[in-house]
Structures are given as C-alpha cells and as structure tokens.
C-alpha cells in the first residue's frame, strides 16, 4: 500500500474526527482537532493515500517534553504498518526538536498497541488507576527517552 506521512491539515480534520469516533469512547471533536492544526506546540501527523486518511497521531510538545495524545488507524488499514510508521515519524520529529522524551497512556487491555510501543523502545514507567472511562480501566504510561551525544571539547594542556 502506498501512502505518505505528512502534517494533518484542515482538509483532513473531518476524516480524523470520523476516525476518532470509530476508535475512542471519548473522541476529540472536529473543532478540537482543527485547533490542534493551528497550535504551534502540536505536531499532528496523518498517513494519507490519494487524499484519504488512513490514520493519524497527535503529539503536543511543551518545554522539551513530547506527549502523544492519540494514535488511531481505520480498522480496514490496521496490521499494515501504518501505526508503526506514524509512531516512528512522531518520535523522529520530537527527537529532532530536541525533546528529552516522548510519552503516552494506553488502556491496559490494548495488547496490540502495547506490543507496538514496546517494540519501538517505549518502557512502562507507571500506571494511572481508573484513567479511562466507558469502560473504566487503568492507563499504562509508556515513555521513550532520547539520548543525545554531547560533544566535549578536550582542552587538556601540557603546561
């Protein structure tokens, strides 16, 4: 399947709102998603093929910390590598913008998502009790830390 990963645009927001309603018990509204396309601290990416949204990921960055708000792929496109591509692009972008880490919460029953996050180097760092509703469920916090190489100038002298 040919698709590209690009910025979520205003034209794609109605499709993203439809995807939200398909995937989440408390979906973001079209208006909320539209605001994120205009928010300088947000980096929402879309997987697109022929103008059709296949999936998207939302990331908000504040003072060097990146938070994944949502990852969603339409059911008919799951298990095709789209979620992984979106996740990798989001991580690459956060790292490029010098974030120290990227983090998210996931329902503890979402074994497929958990397997994806762990395979991409995310580590379980905590639990938020009863974080989700409809149904009530714990949220597992996963974080991926970025390591930066600092260049150290060697100024040894032989006085």
């Amino acid at each position: 399947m040919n698709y590209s990963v690009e910025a979520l645009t205003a034209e794609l927001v109605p499709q993203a709102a439809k995807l939200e309603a398909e995937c989440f018990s408390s979906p973001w509204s079209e208006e909320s998603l539209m605001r994120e396309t205009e928010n300088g601290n947000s980096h929402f990416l879309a997987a697109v093929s022929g103008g059709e949204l296949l999936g998207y990921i939302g990331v908000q960055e504040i003072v060097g910390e990146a938070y994944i708000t949502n990852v969603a792929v339409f059911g008919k496109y799951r298990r095709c590598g789209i979620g992984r591509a979106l996740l990798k692009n989001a991580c690459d972008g956060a790292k490029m913008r010098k974030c120290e880490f990227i983090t998210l919460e996931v329902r503890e029953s979402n074994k497929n998502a958990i397997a994806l996050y762990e395979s991409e180097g995310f580590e379980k760092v905590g639990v938020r009790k009863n974080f989700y509703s409809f149904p009530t469920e714990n949220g597992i916090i996963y974080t991926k830390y970025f390591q930066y190489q600092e260049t150290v100038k060697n100024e040894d002298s032989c006085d």
Side-chain angles (χ1 to χ4, degrees):
M1 166 180 298
N2 290 333
Y3 63 90
S4 61
V5 175
E6 53 197 57
L8 180 71
T9 61
E11 294 77 30
L12 293 170
V13 164
Q15 293 179 65
K18 181 181 174 189
L19 177 56
E20 278 281 314
E22 179 182 303
C23 294
F24 303 111
S25 59
S26 298
W28 286 34
S29 68
E30 192 170 321
E31 296 83 305
S32 295
L33 289 164
M34 188 65 75
R35 279 194 301 273
E36 293 305 312
T37 66
E38 301 162 355
N39 180 345
N41 291 325
S42 292
H43 304 280
F44 278 47
L45 301 173
V48 182
S49 178
E52 180 183 2
L53 180 75
L54 310 178
Y56 91 96
I57 189 168
V59 180
Q60 294 174 333
E61 295 176 6
I62 312 235
V63 294
E65 301 175 358
Y67 298 88
I68 295 175
T69 58
N70 289 335
V71 181
V73 175
F74 279 108
K76 64 183 176 180
Y77 300 116
R78 291 187 190 142
R79 315 285 308 157
C80 296
I82 294 167
R84 183 176 305 279
L86 288 165
L87 187 62
K88 283 183 176 189
N89 274 266
C91 289
D92 289 348
K95 189 173 182 180
M96 180 189 70
R97 290 183 292 275
K98 302 292 188 218
C99 289
E100 294 178 29
F101 62 84
I102 190 165
T103 192
L104 58 86
E105 293 96 7
V106 60
R107 284 182 179 271
E108 65 185 349
S109 65
N110 193 342
K111 302 302 182 196
N112 289 335
I114 289 170
L116 170 63
Y117 302 141
E118 289 178 351
S119 74
E120 289 298 322
F122 283 75
E123 302 171 19
K124 180 179 174 181
V125 297
V127 177
R128 291 199 168 122
K129 295 286 183 191
N130 302 320
F131 182 73
Y132 291 100
S133 53
F134 310 113
T136 301
E137 189 172 354
N138 294 338
I140 308 300
I141 304 166
Y142 275 88
T143 301
K144 181 174 185 173
Y145 296 93
F146 302 124
Q147 298 196 8
Y148 297 100
Q149 299 264 337
E150 293 206 22
T151 40
V152 178
K153 190 174 181 182
N154 188 351
E155 297 186 6
D156 290 341
S157 65
C158 300
D159 292 352

